Amino acid sequence: MTADHRLITAGDGHIEFLLGNEAIARGAIEAGVGFACGYPGTPSTEVTDTFARLSPHLGIPFEYSVNEKVALEMAFAASLAGARAIVAMKHLGLMSAGDPLTTIPYVGVVAGLVIIAAGDPSSHTSPNEQDQRHLADSLHIPMLDPRTPQEALEVTRFAFDLSERSRLPVIVRPTTRVCHTSAPIAFGAITKRRVTGFERDPARFLPLPSNAPRMRREISDRLKIAGRLTSESGFFGRQGGGRTAILASGAPTPICSDLLVDELADERIALLSLAVVHPLPEDWLLAELRRLDMVVVVEELSPYLEDQIRALCTLHGLHTKILGKRTGHLPIEGEYRPEIIRPMLRDVFGIGSPVRRAPPELRVLPQRAPTLCASCPHRSAFFAARSVFGDEALYFNDIGCYTLGVAPPLNAGDALLSMGAGFTLAAGVARTTGRRTLGFLGDSTFFHSGMPALLNAIKEDVNMVAVIMDNEVTAMTGFQESPGIEVEPEGPRRKIDIEAIVRALGARHVETIDPNDLASSVAAFERAKGRDELSVVISHRVCPIFLDQAIGRPEVAASTDIVTYAIDHDRCQYCGRSSCGQRCEQGVVEGFERVMARARSLEIGEEVDRPLVAPCASACPLYLCIQGYATHIAAGRYGDALELIMSGLPLPDSVCRVCDRPCEAVCVRAGIEEPVAINDLKRFVMDWAEAQDEFP
């Protein structure tokens, strides 16, 4: 019996080893959830992935929505239709869903609506940390902050009852360490699902200006109900005794507990902890604070709880000393690991050794920066774009696999902000500087928020190149489906035509390329570079890893469209002249490599076997490496070009002025347009050298 199957069938008392995110899914199942959706984003991804696998067996609808705003609206609609609904996203997605989030408390829910908004202290997989807890108070939404994977299940199950009885949505805010920690999880009983249907009630469901003031007044009563329920929930407690204490919230709670036990201080230093963020259990807190002389608040990110406790003491005339972030005892940023909390225990409570014990010597692998997979089609797309637009162009990136285009040797990323901003950043810089810019985003991001960004750029006729990198899957977060893709036995198939959408938005110059066809890709970017209007290049090739997962490696290997490549390290970084005994000692540098690859890709006659050495070089009596020095010139490395010329030509300044140009007579470009002015290139280098005071 698989763990997935047990998530559906196992009853009260069963114990299963689960991720915190899987425990959240089980908590929703126990609550009788009738609709699930979300947008994938680490660290919340496994919540939606679990429902994607289980929904057919549960008999409930599930969808990966195109963005978080749509997901929240879908879940709210399910609630209005009388089905308990859960929607999952990461903390950044909660801001994307901010528009409906601010109004849902006014309208109120019918069946329970639970919003999983996973936080990411220390920005492990995110561009910022963001503390969503402040939204709870400002938007009148109850919020729960589970301390362990087991509690993640329990608060999720409780959140549905809390939502229904208060008629408010409830946010559950697990953080990375709770989401991605595996632990033995004790199951509860499963509640039978039901859907009561939508009942018309305009006064309740239409937040028109005539209704909104009344709706706002009703929220206060709902929050009082929520406060009573959270105060009765038991998701808070005390361990140990004494007149001093730690008040912990969320993931740092078990760390504090373990450290106090390690230091044999768990009986004399109390540990207060709570998983309720808003409304706070004030009666319990006041009772505990009256027993204490001092309390240190341990919470990740902003001093949200610390400020609430300090205000509570002031309001009720308590003189308990409050320590924490505001007093400099704990940092504001980042997640709290034991090495962060230990110095506070020593400074405040005098426990623990002031001398840090040296850790045992460990053999660890060197850190490796994230990079695009070896077979990723995005590599070719970035390479083609950089080959055409060069180092001087401005490149704007987006959130997804293609973020990694910023890394060497692709170096295609000058700024990064948020989903869809690859296009808006490129457009904004283009409009203010007059430069033609490039913006990159993926197919999932295009559907998420790229379409409005592109429409805005088309409307303003921005001088930019918009590159949509379509690999037919949401790859970075775990290969979730991309909108409009259907996986069939022979592989994924796109049901929604991105090019048709782009043209419908009003773009006039649109091309779709196969990035693995480098010659065609380079030519397409050349055409885009030559325009003075908005151009759209759609790079379309399925992610090979996803294809492997979707239909299996044997079928992939048998496909006529898939070619397997391997690196021959004996030939790596050698040019064709090496096998003819004409190898030089120059190393291959990035600019040279990019220009050479671009030049080779544009050669004519794909079906004809190319000579190992270009005809121009063969015709040269001195066997000069013409491709080499021409490529160095194109890459701006004139000194390297001079070195290469002089390695075979002792008197270049004289010879290049009397040469009868046999190389140009056999140039492969002669039959297409004109031969390349090879001798003039040599003369250019010699004139450049004469003008230099010194050079390597």
Side-chain angles (χ1 to χ4, degrees):
M1 184 184 295
T2 65
D4 273 356
H5 183 67
R6 287 189 288 266
L7 280 173
I8 299 174
T9 61
D12 192 5
H14 176 79
I15 296 177
E16 192 73 35
F17 199 69
L18 299 176
L19 276 177
N21 280 339
E22 294 172 317
I24 288 171
R26 169 66 190 197
I29 292 168
E30 291 181 7
V33 67
F35 181 86
C37 65
Y39 188 84
T42 307
S44 74
T45 302
E46 292 82 7
V47 178
T48 44
D49 285 356
T50 301
F51 278 110
R53 297 191 302 269
L54 297 183
S55 61
H57 309 290
L58 285 168
I60 67 170
F62 168 79
E63 67 175 49
Y64 287 113
S65 306
V66 296
N67 60 40
E68 295 87 354
K69 176 181 182 292
V70 171
L72 178 55
E73 291 165 348
M74 289 293 294
F76 179 58
S79 166
L80 296 185
R84 286 187 163 185
I86 187 170
V87 55
M89 61 197 70
K90 68 186 297 177
H91 62 289
L92 298 171
L94 193 63
M95 301 302 289
S96 181
D99 190 355
L101 185 67
T102 59
T103 303
I104 289 174
Y106 280 63
V107 178
V109 305
V110 177
L113 172 58
V114 175
I115 304 164
I116 306 298
D120 189 22
S122 287
S123 302
H124 292 287
T125 55
S126 312
N128 65 51
E129 292 181 320
Q130 187 195 122
D131 193 339
Q132 315 100 295
R133 293 179 300 171
H134 297 276
L135 294 175
D137 192 9
S138 62
L139 300 183
H140 327 295
I141 300 175
M143 181 177 285
L144 304 170
D145 193 359
R147 297 164 284 189
T148 64
Q150 176 67 54
E151 193 169 64
L153 181 153
E154 294 166 0
V155 301
T156 302
R157 184 179 59 208
F158 167 72
F160 284 97
D161 288 328
L162 175 60
S163 175
E164 284 183 5
R165 294 174 66 180
S166 67
R167 287 181 48 206
L168 291 168
V170 175
I171 298 175
V172 176
R173 177 192 174 263
T175 53
T176 301
R177 297 305 174 185
V178 173
C179 292
H180 289 163
T181 294
S182 294
I185 304 297
F187 289 5
I190 295 177
T191 301
K192 185 177 180 180
R193 290 181 296 278
R194 65 191 183 97
V195 180
T196 59
F198 184 87
E199 296 182 5
R200 289 191 176 95
D201 190 348
R204 178 179 175 184
F205 296 147
L206 296 175
L208 305 173
S210 57
N211 292 332
R214 170 184 51 80
M215 291 177 166
R216 174 62 186 89
R217 290 190 295 270
E218 291 174 354
I219 290 177
S220 299
D221 292 334
R222 296 180 202 165
L223 281 172
K224 289 178 182 177
I225 295 172
R228 186 179 72 251
L229 294 172
T230 55
S231 295
E232 297 170 354
S233 68
F235 291 122
F236 47 83
R238 176 191 180 104
Q239 302 173 23
R243 300 285 299 178
T244 58
I246 293 172
L247 174 59
S249 175
T253 302
I255 298 175
C256 290
S257 179
D258 289 346
L259 291 177
L260 290 176
V261 171
D262 288 346
E263 301 296 340
L264 304 177
D266 52 313
E267 291 299 326
R268 60 187 178 88
I269 300 174
L271 175 61
L272 312 180
S273 66
L274 72 166
V276 177
V277 173
H278 181 72
L280 290 172
E282 292 188 2
D283 291 342
W284 174 77
L285 283 169
L286 286 170
E288 294 294 340
L289 290 168
R290 288 190 177 100
R291 301 165 55 185
L292 298 172
D293 297 324
M294 180 185 68
V295 61
V296 183
V297 181
V298 179
E299 57 183 328
E300 291 174 328
L301 305 183
S302 66
Y304 172 84
L305 185 57
E306 180 182 344
D307 289 345
Q308 296 281 331
I309 298 301
R310 188 171 281 110
L312 199 61
C313 288
T314 300
L315 183 63
H316 292 272
L318 303 184
H319 299 288
T320 308
K321 188 175 182 180
I322 310 298
L323 305 179
K325 300 173 188 288
R326 297 291 188 192
T327 57
H329 290 89
L330 288 163
I332 290 180
E333 67 282 349
E335 65 179 356
Y336 284 179
R337 303 179 302 278
E339 55 266 33
I340 299 295
I341 299 175
R342 276 198 180 99
M344 179 276 293
L345 295 178
R346 185 171 62 249
D347 294 343
V348 175
F349 300 103
I351 61 176
S353 172
V355 180
R356 183 177 179 181
R357 293 189 295 268
E361 184 175 350
L362 298 175
R363 296 183 63 186
V364 296
L365 293 173
Q367 287 190 341
R368 176 186 171 201
T371 184
L372 288 167
C373 299
S375 57
C376 179
H378 296 342
R379 285 178 176 263
S380 301
F382 279 123
F383 183 89
R386 290 281 280 117
S387 296
V388 171
F389 285 88
D391 295 334
E392 298 304 315
L394 295 176
Y395 303 91
F396 297 93
N397 223 297
D398 216 292
I399 306 296
C401 289
Y402 33 87
T403 300
L404 302 176
V406 306
L410 299 171
N411 299 319
D414 292 304
L416 172 72
L417 184 61
S418 60
M419 298 283 282
F423 285 179
T424 47
L425 290 176
V429 170
R431 294 205 69 191
T432 52
T433 64
R435 297 179 61 178
R436 189 160 176 80
T437 60
L438 290 89
F440 299 92
L441 52 73
D443 52 316
S444 296
T445 308
F446 175 72
F447 289 111
H448 178 283
S449 50
M451 287 190 291
L454 181 59
L455 176 61
N456 190 73
I458 293 169
K459 176 179 75 74
E460 299 298 335
D461 195 22
V462 177
N463 182 27
M464 64 175 283
V465 180
V467 184
I468 302 171
M469 308 178 89
D470 178 13
N471 63 359
E472 300 191 1
V473 70
T474 309
M476 178 165 278
T477 51
F479 304 100
Q480 295 80 18
E481 67 182 41
S482 177
I485 287 294
E486 185 173 61
V487 179
E488 298 177 340
E490 62 274 15
R493 179 179 67 87
R494 181 167 290 290
K495 297 188 297 182
I496 299 176
D497 187 342
I498 292 179
E499 181 172 332
I501 293 174
V502 170
R503 293 188 184 279
L505 291 174
R508 293 186 294 271
H509 179 220
V510 185
E511 293 194 51
T512 297
I513 63 171
D514 177 355
N516 281 14
D517 184 348
L518 190 58
S520 297
S521 299
V522 168
F525 279 110
E526 288 279 12
R527 289 188 289 272
K529 183 179 182 180
R531 311 282 288 212
D532 57 0
E533 63 178 342
L534 186 142
S535 298
V536 180
V537 177
I538 303 169
S539 172
H540 178 212
R541 176 168 277 265
V542 64
C543 169
I545 297 177
F546 172 55
L547 191 63
D548 181 24
Q549 293 182 347
I551 64 177
R553 187 168 297 281
E555 289 82 358
V556 172
S559 170
T560 58
D561 190 43
I562 301 296
V563 180
T564 301
Y565 294 92
I567 295 174
D568 183 347
H569 290 281
D570 292 333
R571 299 182 64 188
C572 188
Q573 292 194 335
Y574 289 13
C575 68
R577 295 169 63 88
S578 176
S579 59
C580 299
Q582 298 180 17
R583 182 186 180 196
C584 69
E585 298 303 318
Q586 284 196 331
V588 178
V589 295
E590 183 178 309
F592 179 97
E593 188 176 35
R594 182 179 295 120
V595 176
M596 179 67 79
R598 174 177 174 270
R600 292 289 288 179
S601 74
L602 294 176
E603 289 179 1
I604 305 300
E606 292 290 333
E607 71 283 355
V608 179
D609 290 336
R610 296 191 184 101
L612 290 176
V613 179
C616 54
S618 300
C620 177
L622 299 175
Y623 291 99
L624 294 182
C625 182
I626 294 170
Q627 284 181 308
Y629 70 70
T631 302
H632 278 317
I633 294 170
R637 302 179 65 89
Y638 305 142
D640 290 335
L642 177 66
E643 177 186 344
L644 196 56
I645 292 169
M646 294 188 67
S647 66
L649 182 57
L651 301 171
D653 194 52
S654 300
V655 172
C656 70
R657 299 183 190 280
V658 299
C659 178
D660 61 353
R661 308 180 185 225
C663 52
E664 296 180 20
V666 296
C667 178
V668 296
R669 304 294 298 177
I672 303 171
E673 41 192 11
E674 293 181 357
V676 176
I678 299 170
N679 197 59
D680 289 345
L681 291 175
K682 289 202 298 288
R683 294 186 61 175
F684 166 80
V685 173
M686 301 315 301
D687 291 343
W688 170 84
E690 186 177 353
Q692 307 305 306
D693 293 331
E694 61 180 31
F695 47 85

